[in-house]
Amino acid sequence: MSWFQFGIKDFIDILLVTILMYQVQKSLRSSGSKTLFYGLLAFLVISMVVSFLKMRLLGSILDFVSTGGVVLVVILFQDDIKRFLTLLGSRGRWSHLFKVFLKGADNNTQVTAEIAAITLACLNMSRKKSGALIVIKQKDGLEQYEHTGERIDAAVNARLIENIFFKNSPLHDGAMIISGKRIVSAGSILPVSHSSEIPKEMGLRHRSGLGMATATDAKVIIISEERGKISIAHKGVLTPNISTEDLQKFLQQK
């Protein structure tokens, strides 16, 4: 490509590569593999420079290294590759993309009875310092996680949520999964994030919440049993110590 001939195909090419690299970096960052990602990125940049300058000797060495490097990358990043391909193939991600282009973003911010019930329950549990882990289904299917807990299938109710996460309840250590207007399961087991960016004072609940928010598009609420603080996780990002007003806004967002 000539530097003086920049067309629409070149723009699309650069845009897609940028999106791809961002998604890969985001996935690896949440799993604690950020340093390895930057190492691979540096190797890619060096390879491009060598190719552009037509450095034959160094190019042949890099070609030899990259041949075996593909197998090494698959071994090192097998869990991250699986997570990224799941993200790429998610029906919810593509339907949201088409919605943005064809219909525009959905700005419906109505406070439903379910949102009010969840917010009230979280407020009460935060005051009582009752630990809780609540997963709210979005587009991605959560059946594999629902089956690890006890089937509930009950209407979303603040008092029921509080009772399930009561300290003496047999289900309080696991996660509650909510789909639409129903509490689907409780005591469910979630994937654990190994990200090094999670503060040390946060325990298994927060790591499980971030792990779920990384593996799926679900919205996750975490309440600390030690401090009574409310945290949220969504799209691979953990936001600690939020107010109940911010929690309600988070639940309203589409």
Side-chain angles (χ1 to χ4, degrees):
M1 179 184 73
S2 172
W3 295 109
F4 300 100
Q5 295 178 345
F6 189 86
I8 185 64
K9 287 197 303 182
D10 302 314
F11 173 77
I12 295 175
D13 187 20
I14 294 174
L15 178 63
L16 291 177
V17 170
T18 302
I19 294 174
L20 177 64
M21 297 303 293
Y22 170 76
Q23 293 293 344
V24 172
Q25 190 270 347
K26 181 179 177 181
S27 176
L28 294 181
R29 181 184 62 187
S30 62
S31 64
S33 305
K34 182 171 62 175
T35 304
L36 288 174
F37 168 76
Y38 287 134
L40 288 174
L41 184 61
F43 181 83
L44 179 62
V45 171
I46 293 173
S47 299
M48 292 174 63
V49 172
V50 169
S51 177
F52 179 76
L53 297 178
K54 298 181 179 180
M55 303 169 68
R56 296 181 180 178
L57 180 59
L58 185 56
S60 61
I61 295 175
L62 292 178
D63 288 341
F64 177 78
V65 173
S66 61
T67 301
V70 174
V71 179
L72 181 62
V73 167
V74 172
I75 295 174
L76 289 175
F77 297 110
Q78 53 183 324
D79 293 335
D80 300 297
I81 292 173
K82 180 180 179 181
R83 187 181 302 112
F84 176 72
L85 292 177
T86 301
L87 175 70
L88 189 64
S90 169
R91 183 177 60 183
R93 306 278 177 171
W94 289 106
S95 63
H96 176 72
L97 182 63
F98 288 132
K99 183 189 295 184
V100 170
F101 279 104
L102 298 179
K103 298 182 180 179
D106 187 354
N107 295 319
N108 181 16
T109 57
Q110 181 182 3
V111 180
T112 64
E114 291 73 36
I115 291 177
I118 295 170
T119 303
L120 177 60
C122 289
L123 173 62
N124 293 333
M125 290 188 292
S126 175
R127 289 174 175 173
K128 298 175 184 177
K129 293 186 178 180
S130 298
L133 182 56
I134 302 174
V135 178
I136 302 171
K137 180 181 179 295
Q138 300 301 299
K139 297 291 186 180
D140 294 347
L142 305 179
E143 290 80 7
Q144 60 177 317
Y145 307 107
E146 295 169 4
H147 294 159
T148 63
E150 295 293 330
R151 188 75 179 177
I152 301 295
D153 193 22
V156 175
N157 178 277
R159 188 167 296 179
L160 176 58
I161 294 174
E162 293 179 54
N163 286 337
I164 288 176
F165 287 111
F166 183 68
K167 291 183 180 180
N168 293 330
S169 167
L171 301 176
H172 83 282
D173 278 334
M176 172 185 291
I177 298 179
I178 297 176
S179 177
K181 299 182 179 182
R182 311 291 291 180
I183 299 175
V184 179
S185 66
S188 297
I189 301 173
L190 307 184
V192 178
S193 171
H194 299 286
S195 173
S196 58
E197 298 182 3
I198 299 178
K200 294 182 179 180
E201 63 269 18
M202 295 183 176
L204 183 59
R205 273 198 183 94
H206 291 83
R207 290 193 171 275
S208 297
L210 180 58
M212 189 65 166
T214 302
T216 71
D217 66 345
K219 293 182 178 181
V220 185
I221 306 170
I222 310 105
I223 301 178
S224 170
E225 190 170 345
E226 292 75 19
R227 297 172 293 120
K229 299 294 185 180
I230 302 175
S231 302
I232 56 174
H234 190 218
K235 296 181 178 179
V237 178
L238 177 66
T239 306
N241 305 336
I242 68 167
S243 65
T244 51
E245 291 79 9
D246 290 334
L247 173 60
Q248 181 173 294
K249 292 178 182 178
F250 169 69
L251 295 176
Q252 287 177 254
Q253 294 171 355
K254 297 297 183 178

